[in-house]
Amino acid sequence: MDNFDKFYKALQKHRSRLITFPNVCGLGIGLKHRNMQRTDSPALIVFVEKKEKKENLSRTEIVPKKVSGFETDVIEIGKVRLLGTRQERHRPAHPGVSIGHYKISAGTFGAVVKDIETGNSLILSNNHILANGSNGQDGRAKIGDPILQPGPCDSMQKKTKKRLWTIYDSVPTGIYYDGGVLGASYSKGWACNNFSRR
């Protein structure tokens, strides 16, 4: 997925229009499905509560097959519900609560993992949550940057009082795929999961 930046720019450019289509409840970038099988072709993913037959939609309500030259894929996911808020301060913090790099709004603590070499407990989440969507070379984040809990937009506390972790490492792991969407941001064509000290 060397052209991830191009997909991301296309999504940014068209998201305000796509999100208004009937039943659309989310947008993303992932791998296209054909005949219920995942392909290796990247696509702009349009999540809908329920797929409608084309004859039930007007021409202007049908998600185009391509957007800015990139294929789209409409995926039915059912009703999206907020199951609870995790915006409070949690000590100890645990997966599912609000966290975020100090320059972003907020995201979700994904999982606790262990460094094979050191045995240290680390947290795992997406690149855009722990590293501000950085590729490691662009200055958007660096090792040692603070990770806050709750994430910056979820609390009015001073950032220095919420700092819980710092960025420890960034590891290219290949494309992480889960349920039709790519589970992490990309760096040089690879999914980049960023770790932070607990």
Side-chain angles (χ1 to χ4, degrees):
M1 192 119 161
D2 295 328
N3 56 358
F4 171 76
D5 286 340
K6 292 178 183 176
F7 273 80
Y8 182 74
K9 285 176 185 172
L11 189 61
Q12 293 296 321
K13 181 178 178 182
H14 296 282
R15 69 179 176 181
S16 59
R17 179 175 65 94
L18 291 171
I19 204 71
T20 65
F21 282 53
N23 290 321
V24 172
C25 51
L27 303 167
I29 300 168
L31 298 176
K32 187 166 179 75
H33 281 72
R34 285 193 180 91
N35 301 319
M36 303 296 287
Q37 296 292 316
R38 177 173 53 97
T39 71
D40 292 328
S41 301
L44 298 176
I45 306 298
V46 180
F47 298 103
V48 295
E49 189 173 315
K50 182 171 180 7
K51 276 192 175 182
E52 295 284 349
K53 293 181 179 178
K54 286 185 180 179
E55 53 266 25
N56 294 340
L57 299 169
S58 72
R59 204 171 135 212
T60 59
E61 294 176 328
I62 298 172
V63 174
K65 291 188 178 195
K66 288 190 175 186
V67 172
S68 289
F70 299 107
E71 283 193 89
T72 60
D73 194 8
V74 179
I75 297 178
E76 182 178 317
I77 61 170
K79 189 168 182 64
V80 177
R81 299 176 289 129
L82 179 63
L83 298 177
T85 59
R86 303 290 179 125
Q87 300 170 328
E88 300 83 17
R89 182 178 186 271
H90 291 269
R91 299 295 182 272
H94 54 83
V97 300
S98 170
I99 63 169
H101 184 273
Y102 77 101
K103 291 182 182 175
I104 72 153
S105 55
T108 304
F109 181 158
V112 177
V113 295
K114 192 169 273 195
D115 187 315
I116 293 173
E117 293 177 7
T118 67
N120 290 338
S121 291
L122 307 167
I123 65 167
L124 174 67
S125 192
N126 291 337
N127 179 294
H128 64 278
I129 295 168
L130 294 182
N132 192 25
S134 177
N135 65 12
Q137 312 282 321
D138 54 18
R140 294 172 64 91
K142 64 185 183 309
I143 289 177
D145 277 357
I147 305 301
L148 312 178
Q149 195 292 307
C153 78
D154 287 336
S155 173
M156 299 305 291
Q157 300 174 48
K158 292 192 176 203
K159 293 177 182 179
T160 54
K161 293 184 179 177
K162 298 186 297 178
R163 180 180 181 142
L164 195 54
W165 306 280
T166 57
I167 292 178
Y168 174 65
D169 201 0
S170 174
V171 182
T173 62
I175 294 174
Y176 170 75
Y177 176 83
D178 183 20
V181 294
L182 298 169
S185 298
Y186 292 83
S187 175
K188 298 182 181 174
W190 298 95
C192 187
N193 293 317
N194 286 273
F195 298 85
S196 176
R197 289 192 190 281
R198 233 177 140 200

